[in-house]
Amino acid sequence: EPILGAQKYILIISLILSAIIARVWLMYIKWIDVYEPERNVFLAITFILSCLTLLLVFPITDLIQSLGFNLNGEPLNDFLYSTITIGSVEEIVKLIPLLLMIVATKQLNEPIDFIVYASVSALGFAFIENILYIEKTGLSALSARLLYSSVAHMFFSSIIGYALAINIIKKRNRFFLH
């Protein structure tokens, strides 16, 4: 029973710390959106959608692994696995809330909006991922998650958001080129 109680406290602490990390970065995102700040309700919807769509990573990854593509220690295989199974799957999942906001709202009307919503989607993803990692490692992953994870997720998603902005706003229809 004492171990179960300790796990519960670690989960609560990881939740609180992950929320603080997400809140700090959300404040920064809102700070850079100076010309036409986004409404909090749409940012919250994007964040929540991203928390939910993260759950798609597990069945997609399981499907890829069921096809025999796994980490095996070979450098080329592991590079391709990390790029395709981890990187591409995560970026596609983080892209879903951004695409939903583009299609369902008229909120994305200036180039920075695409980066803002992509970053908020990344924060929702990183929030849940941080909870899982911090709880699983008993807080030993905190510094890496605090200093790297959220920033990396926002950076990668912002690149995609920027490409979408160029493509949609300039009506170039060359998303993959951008």
Side-chain angles (χ1 to χ4, degrees):
E1 183 73 40
I3 293 175
L4 290 176
Q7 278 302 112
K8 183 170 69 173
Y9 287 118
I10 290 173
L11 178 62
I12 291 168
I13 290 168
S14 68
L15 177 72
I16 292 168
L17 292 173
S18 297
I20 291 169
I21 293 167
R23 178 68 181 139
V24 167
W25 286 111
L26 183 60
M27 288 169 45
Y28 174 75
I29 292 167
K30 289 180 64 72
W31 178 74
I32 64 171
D33 188 17
V34 293
Y35 296 112
E36 187 184 315
E38 299 308 304
R39 293 177 42 205
N40 288 336
V41 66
F42 291 106
L43 296 177
I45 290 168
T46 304
F47 186 89
I48 292 166
L49 284 172
S50 186
C51 290
L52 296 173
T53 58
L54 172 128
L55 299 174
L56 295 172
V57 167
F58 303 112
I60 295 170
T61 301
D62 289 346
L63 174 65
I64 293 169
Q65 290 175 342
S66 75
L67 299 172
F69 192 32
N70 296 291
L71 291 172
N72 65 11
E74 294 178 22
L76 179 60
N77 177 79
D78 289 359
F79 171 76
L80 292 172
Y81 179 89
S82 296
T83 304
I84 295 167
T85 305
I86 298 171
S88 296
V89 169
E90 286 187 1
E91 292 312 312
I92 289 168
V93 167
K94 288 186 291 183
L95 183 62
I96 294 169
L98 174 62
L99 293 174
L100 289 172
M101 295 308 288
I102 291 169
V103 171
T105 72
K106 299 196 184 312
Q107 296 302 304
L108 290 89
N109 56 6
E110 58 181 345
I112 192 71
D113 293 347
F114 290 82
I115 295 170
V116 165
Y117 281 93
S119 294
V120 171
S121 180
L123 274 179
F125 186 96
F127 170 70
I128 299 296
E129 192 179 66
N130 286 344
I131 292 170
L132 297 173
Y133 276 108
I134 293 169
E135 190 269 334
K136 182 179 178 181
T137 62
L139 305 178
S140 65
L142 180 62
S143 61
R145 304 308 298 179
L146 176 67
L147 298 173
Y148 174 73
S149 173
S150 297
V151 175
H153 280 297
M154 288 188 304
F155 176 75
F156 301 139
S157 294
S158 292
I159 293 170
I160 295 170
Y162 181 70
L164 275 171
I166 292 171
N167 190 58
I168 291 172
I169 291 173
K170 294 189 176 187
K171 297 184 184 359
R172 292 201 173 154
N173 298 323
R174 294 183 289 191
F175 170 68
F176 289 105
L177 179 62
H178 295 295

